[in-house]
């Protein structure tokens, strides 16, 4: 038997043992959707998450949603009413953000390799471009001049440090992201001199960290760096986007981020900030932490078989929807995401089984030798933490399978 990650707090079963999501029975949700596999996102959990963040953070810090974690249109529209802005990372995401009703001045667009037509769409819409290089800055300025509009431009800074303990390092050393810190002052002066509406800095050092101390230390270094840059430029950044970094506990032994501790430390950091940042606004941009726990992936058992003593539950889902849960999206050692039998939720484990998907590859494993209550053909398996980097971060077209259904409840 191998352990699985902790099931997020807040999930329970009805008297018959059926998992409830947003108060609805998992089996009933699958009926309404018409088929499995199905992603269900719980809007009350999304709202609770935003409220938890706001209660913990200094009031002057804004919350942006990094929509690449989950761009499902109904979820985006729901989140848009709760957060202060969206961060997008492609022209497609920009279109989705605008279609959701988010005001363009609350949309920022980061990401390397923006094509001219993407820069143009953002400038035309009035969104902020987080510039990733001097070359991109030059292209943005000439497109704005051609259009005859004043572009809203921020500079993404590649900091000299990274976020310790983060699953994905986005700063420190040579990176395709952002402008090296020592080259930032000259670039910002160039933007200001060209008449652009300079929006400030975007400094993103890493993601999927659970240690509040490491996050707080990175935020302190980020604010200090923004202060040094502001002094070197001789102008105050209107906005300092501090990045994100808060992760969620996927695996056995992982412990949730102490959000209150992050918020308290950020309050101290901002209280002591450089005078050059006195009038600056601050923002954090979060994807995973806001949406991961609110999502459940439901997949049905199609076959039950044994091979060389190992029992397999073969489902209609798989890595084509849940690449990260299968261990094939940036993980070195495969470990089990939280998993359960939705129609026997909370029942004691009775057997050790491997839950696999329907793809013809040994990589397609959703649960490796996990202890579960006995499940039969037709039962529903629930994979938790499916709200972020699931549906759109997995190869849905592989083997002709197609996309999963999605639903916001
Ligand atoms: C991916 C990304 C995020 C979101 O990261 P999470 O780990 O989902 O919170 C935020 N900002 C930028 C620039 C990103 O590329």
């Amino acid at each position: 038997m191998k352990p699985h990650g902790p099931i997020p707090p807040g999930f329970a079963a009805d008297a018959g043992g059926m998992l409830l999501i947003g108060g609805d029975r998992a089996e009933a949700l699958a009926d309404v959707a018409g088929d499995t596999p199905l992603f269900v996102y719980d809007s009350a959990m999304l709202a609770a998450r935003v409220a938890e963040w706001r209660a913990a953070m200094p009031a002057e810090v804004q919350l942006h949603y990094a929509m690449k974690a989950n761009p499902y249109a109904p979820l985006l529209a729901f989140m848009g009413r709760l957060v202060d802005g969206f961060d997008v990372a492609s022209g497609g995401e920009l279109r989705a953000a605008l279609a959701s009703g988010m005001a363009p001045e609350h949309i920022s667009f980061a990401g390397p390799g923006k094509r001219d037509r993407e820069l143009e769409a953002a400038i035309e819409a009035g969104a902020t471009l987080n510039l990733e290089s001097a070359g991109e800055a030059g292209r943005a300025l000439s497109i704005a001049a051609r259009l005859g509009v004043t572009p809203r431009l921020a500079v993404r800074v590649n900091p000299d440090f990274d976020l310790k303990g983060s699953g994905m390092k986005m700063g420190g050393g040579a990176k395709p992201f952002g402008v090296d810190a020592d080259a930032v002052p000259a670039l910002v002066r160039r933007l200001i001199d060209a008449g652009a509406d300079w929006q400030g800095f975007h400094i993103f050092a890493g993601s999927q960290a659970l240690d509040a101390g490491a996050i707080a230390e990175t935020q302190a270094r980020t604010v200090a760096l923004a202060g040094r840059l502001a002094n070197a430029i001789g102008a105050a950044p209107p906005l300092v986007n501090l990045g994100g970094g808060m992760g969620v506990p996927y695996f056995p032994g992982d412990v949730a981020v102490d959000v209150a501790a992050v918020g308290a430390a950020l309050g101290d950091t901002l209280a002591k900030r450089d005078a050059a940042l006195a009038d600056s606004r601050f923002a954090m941009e979060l994807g995973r932490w806001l949406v991961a726990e609110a999502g459940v992936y439901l997949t049905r058992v199609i076959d039950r078989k044994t091979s060389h003593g190992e029992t397999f539950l073969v489902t209609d889902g798989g890595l084509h929807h849940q690449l990260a849960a299968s261990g094939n999206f940036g993980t070195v050692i495969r470990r089990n995401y939280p998993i359960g039998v939705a129609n026997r939720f909370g029942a004691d484990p009775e057997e050790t089984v491997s839950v696999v998907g329907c793809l013809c590859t040994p990589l397609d494993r959703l649960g490796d030798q996990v202890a579960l209550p006995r499940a039969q053909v037709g039962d529903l398996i629930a994979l938790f933490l499916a709200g972020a980097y699931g549906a759109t971060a997995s190869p849905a077209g592989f083997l002709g399978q197609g996309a999963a259904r999605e639903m916001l409840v």
Side-chain angles (χ1 to χ4, degrees):
M1 198 268 283
K2 296 180 184 170
H4 61 69
I7 290 174
F11 287 104
D14 71 3
M18 180 63 73
L19 173 68
L20 299 171
I21 309 171
D24 295 319
R25 303 171 73 249
E27 188 65 60
L29 291 168
D31 276 351
V32 171
D35 202 359
T36 48
L38 166 68
F39 285 94
V40 186
Y41 311 118
D42 179 341
S43 56
M45 288 180 84
L46 296 170
R49 208 67 168 160
V50 173
E52 181 186 354
W53 187 91
R54 291 208 189 275
M57 294 297 147
E60 62 190 303
V61 181
Q62 301 181 349
L63 178 60
H64 291 188
Y65 173 49
M67 67 171 275
K68 77 170 184 281
N70 189 331
Y72 179 55
L75 180 141
L76 214 52
F78 184 80
M79 292 300 284
R81 296 193 287 274
L82 300 177
V83 301
D84 306 304
F86 283 163
D87 290 309
V88 306
S90 72
E93 286 195 351
L94 174 65
R95 280 194 297 280
L98 291 167
S100 80
M102 178 58 73
E105 63 271 26
H106 297 138
I107 299 174
S108 54
F109 182 176
K114 300 182 195 76
R115 284 163 284 193
D116 283 357
R117 63 172 178 273
E118 295 176 297
L119 297 173
E120 179 166 338
I123 291 168
E124 248 182 338
T128 297
L129 285 166
N130 290 335
L131 299 170
E132 304 275 352
S133 72
E136 191 173 273
R139 289 191 290 130
L141 288 174
S142 46
I143 289 167
R146 174 165 55 74
L147 296 174
V149 300
T150 303
R152 300 163 70 91
L153 303 177
V155 172
R156 178 162 178 183
V157 182
N158 176 22
D160 310 322
F161 49 84
D162 60 24
L163 171 52
K164 289 197 186 63
S166 62
M168 233 173 265
K169 297 194 192 317
M170 306 288 285
K175 288 283 178 302
F177 313 110
V179 176
D180 291 351
D182 56 7
V184 167
L187 180 62
V188 171
R189 288 257 40 116
R190 182 177 152 208
L191 300 178
I192 294 172
D193 291 347
D197 181 2
W198 176 53
Q199 291 288 310
F201 303 124
H202 174 218
I203 309 177
F204 182 76
S207 84
Q208 181 50 21
L210 297 173
D211 177 5
I215 295 168
E217 186 199 314
T218 297
Q219 289 183 333
R221 295 179 77 174
T222 302
V223 172
L225 173 60
R228 284 198 303 279
L229 293 172
N231 282 306
I233 295 160
L239 178 73
V240 179
N241 180 333
L242 300 169
M246 287 168 31
V248 294
Y250 284 105
F251 302 120
D254 283 356
V255 176
V257 183
D258 182 345
V259 188
V262 173
L266 184 54
D268 288 347
T269 292
L270 294 182
K272 291 186 301 209
R273 69 185 183 260
D274 192 294
L277 303 176
D279 297 325
S280 299
R281 291 172 291 118
F282 294 84
M284 272 176 77
E285 54 177 5
L286 297 173
R288 191 188 308 272
W289 187 87
L290 287 172
V291 297
E293 294 194 359
V296 182
Y297 178 70
L298 296 173
T299 177
R300 204 174 288 285
V301 179
I302 300 295
D303 196 8
R304 186 190 157 97
K305 60 184 283 189
T306 44
S307 170
H308 290 271
E310 186 170 348
T311 301
F312 291 91
L313 301 178
V314 185
T315 68
D316 62 4
L319 71 75
H320 54 301
H321 303 144
Q322 282 288 62
L323 188 64
S326 76
N328 295 294
F329 192 53
T331 23
V332 180
I333 301 168
R334 194 204 170 288
R335 291 179 291 174
N336 289 315
Y337 271 39
I339 189 170
V341 180
N343 48 292
R344 301 200 58 201
F345 191 66
D348 288 335
E350 293 160 329
E351 59 177 2
T352 296
V353 296
S354 288
V355 180
V356 299
C358 56
L359 302 187
C360 211
T361 159
L363 300 177
D364 194 8
R365 210 167 257 248
L366 300 176
D368 185 31
Q369 297 173 52
V370 285
L372 293 178
R374 190 180 168 86
Q376 305 291 350
V377 170
D379 285 356
L380 278 180
I381 299 294
L383 256 137
F384 295 89
L385 296 178
Y389 303 110
T392 59
S394 305
F398 191 29
L399 277 152
Q401 290 289 342
R405 289 159 199 246
E406 293 179 274
M407 189 187 262
L408 179 75
V409 295

